[in-house]
Amino acid sequence: MRLVVTGAAGFLGSHLTDRLLAEGHSVVGIDSLITGTRRNLAHLRAEPRFAFLERDVSEPIEIEGEIEGVFHLASPASPVDYLRFPIQTLKAGALGTRNALGLARASGARLLLASTSEVYGDPLVHPQPETYWGNVNPVGPRSVYDEAKRFAEAITMAYHREYGVDTRIVRIFNTYGPRMRPDDGRVVSNFVVQALRGEPLTVYGDGSQSRSFCYVSDLVEGIWRLFNADVHAPVNLGNPGEYTIRMLSDLVLAATDSASTVEVRPLPEDDPRMRSPDISLASERLDWTPRVPLEAGLKRTVEYFREVLPGTATE
Ligand code: UDP
C-alpha cells in the first residue's frame, strides 16, 4: 500500500513510519517540523519507499497518485509544546484533521486519527473506558490540545457517518521511548535527561498524581492492529500499569544509576490527578496488550539518551 503519515518526523510518527516500511508498504511522510525533527528520519534518507514533504497540515494537502491509508498524527503532543504553540495545536487538530479527512475522502483511503487520553481531561472515572465522556476545562491552558482533539474525533465521526470515509480513532495514553526530544518537556524525557546530566529531577506538585506509561513499540503494534481492524469507535491504547510521578522518579534514578536529587516545582494548571487506560476494548477487538514492562522500556530509553546527549555515555 501507499500510506501517508502526518507528523512523520515526530517521536511516534517516525516509529510508525519505520513499522509501515517494515510491513512492505510505501510511506509519504508530512511534517511542518515545528516539534518534529529530520533527525528522526535520517536513517531513511536512502529508502526508495519513503518520501518526505515539509508541509503544515493545517494548509490543504494534495498528494499525487494512489493513497490507501492516511495516519493523522501531526500535532504538538507535549504540554510544554502545545502551550508554546497554542494556535498551531488548535489548527493541527481542527484544520489538519479536516484536511487529512479531505485527502482520505478524495483518495478513497482509510484514515486513522491519533487522538489522546486528554479527551478525558481530569477524569472523574478511573481507569478510563472509551464510554467515559470526560471532564475537560474548555477554556484552560490545556484546552488548545484537549478541545482540538475532541473536535478532531467529532469531525472524523461526521466524515464517517456522512461520507462513509473508512475511519479509525485511537486514544493514545502517555507513551515514551527513543526519539523523544530531550527538551520535549514530558515527564519521562525530562527525568531521564536530568538524571543523566546529574541535575535534580523536577517533580511537579507533590508527585502523587499518576500516569500509565506505554513503550513506543507496544503502541505502534496497537495502531497497526487498529488500522487493520473493522472498528470505527474510539479505542484506548496504553499500558494500564499505573505509577505516581514519585514512583517514576525512583525508577528513573535506578535505571540511570544517578545520584540526582528531586526538586519540587509547582503543579501545572489543570494537571490531571490520575490517568490509566481501560484497555478491554483493544484486548477484545485487536487481541492487543502491551508487552514491555516499564523497567525494560526505561532501560532502552536511557540507552538512547546516552547516545544523543553529549557527555552522558558510560565509559
Ligand atoms: N511532570 C513532572 N515533572 C516534569 C514533567 C512532568 O512532575 O518534569 C508531571 C506532570 O505534572 C504530570 C505528569 O508528570 O502530572 C505527566 O506529565 P507529561 O507532561 O509527561 O504528560 P501529561 O500526562 O500531563 O500530558
Side-chain angles (χ1 to χ4, degrees):
M1 289 187 281
R2 187 158 175 261
L3 305 167
V4 171
V5 176
T6 78
F11 159 57
L12 205 48
S14 66
H15 285 284
L16 177 65
T17 296
D18 285 345
R19 174 63 186 268
L20 301 177
L21 292 168
E23 294 287 336
H25 305 296
S26 302
V27 176
V28 179
I30 301 180
D31 206 298
S32 71
L33 301 177
I34 63 165
T35 58
T37 160
R38 283 184 193 274
R39 211 174 28 239
N40 288 341
L41 299 171
H43 58 290
L44 300 177
R45 218 170 285 146
E47 170 56 65
R49 286 181 292 116
F50 180 69
F52 181 71
L53 301 173
E54 186 178 338
R55 299 263 174 83
D56 182 343
V57 286
S58 60
E59 304 294 333
I61 311 167
E62 277 175 34
I63 293 175
E64 289 190 4
E66 296 258 303
I67 294 165
E68 280 93 359
V70 179
F71 295 81
H72 180 42
L73 274 61
S75 175
S78 132
V80 169
D81 283 345
Y82 57 72
L83 297 181
R84 203 154 50 102
F85 298 111
I87 309 297
Q88 289 95 326
T89 301
L90 280 159
K91 286 169 78 176
L95 303 177
T97 305
R98 198 270 312 262
N99 291 334
L101 283 161
L103 177 67
R105 185 181 178 213
S107 319
R110 180 172 299 169
L111 177 131
L112 180 140
L113 168 69
S115 185
T116 169
S117 56
E118 285 277 332
V119 300
Y120 303 121
D122 189 4
L124 305 175
V125 170
H126 189 73
Q128 294 79 54
E130 291 85 352
T131 47
Y132 177 48
W133 290 355
N135 178 38
V136 171
N137 175 352
V139 291
R142 297 174 87 100
S143 66
V144 297
Y145 186 63
D146 302 8
E147 295 293 7
K149 290 292 189 182
R150 288 171 70 98
F151 174 85
E153 289 196 6
I155 193 172
T156 298
M157 290 309 296
Y159 267 64
H160 172 63
R161 294 189 181 112
E162 189 68 15
Y163 298 135
V165 177
D166 188 17
T167 56
R168 308 284 184 275
I169 298 174
V170 52
R171 291 186 179 151
I172 300 171
F173 285 65
N174 296 62
T175 301
Y176 70 99
R179 299 189 195 155
M180 296 182 91
R181 286 196 340 267
D183 64 347
D184 156 301
R186 279 180 278 196
V187 68
V188 172
S189 43
N190 270 8
F191 282 2
V192 170
V193 169
Q194 290 160 346
L196 290 177
R197 288 181 173 152
E199 296 167 359
L201 271 53
T202 51
V203 168
Y204 301 162
D206 64 5
S208 65
Q209 69 273 32
S210 73
R211 294 293 187 274
S212 306
F213 301 99
C214 188
Y215 189 67
V216 63
S217 59
D218 281 333
L219 205 278
V220 166
E221 175 67 30
I223 288 181
W224 182 235
R225 286 186 189 213
L226 176 59
F227 183 77
N228 290 296
D230 190 21
V231 187
H232 302 291
V235 177
N236 288 339
L237 291 181
N239 191 321
E242 187 181 357
Y243 296 81
T244 66
I245 297 308
R246 276 284 185 172
M247 288 162 76
L248 179 72
S249 67
D250 288 341
L251 286 173
V252 170
L253 289 176
T256 49
D257 208 11
S258 167
S260 286
T261 54
V262 163
E263 192 176 281
V264 174
R265 297 268 181 91
L267 190 68
E269 199 177 333
D270 293 340
D271 197 276
R273 284 291 317 149
M274 55 196 168
R275 181 184 290 156
S276 181
D278 179 331
I279 58 165
S280 319
L281 187 63
S283 138
E284 275 162 38
R285 299 297 302 270
L286 313 178
D287 191 23
W288 176 85
T289 177
R291 303 271 171 221
V292 183
L294 184 53
E295 286 81 355
L298 281 178
K299 195 161 170 267
R300 293 184 214 169
T301 308
V302 168
E303 279 163 21
Y304 168 78
F305 279 113
R306 276 196 208 279
E307 277 167 32
V308 298
L309 293 176
T312 60
T314 40
E315 295 82 56

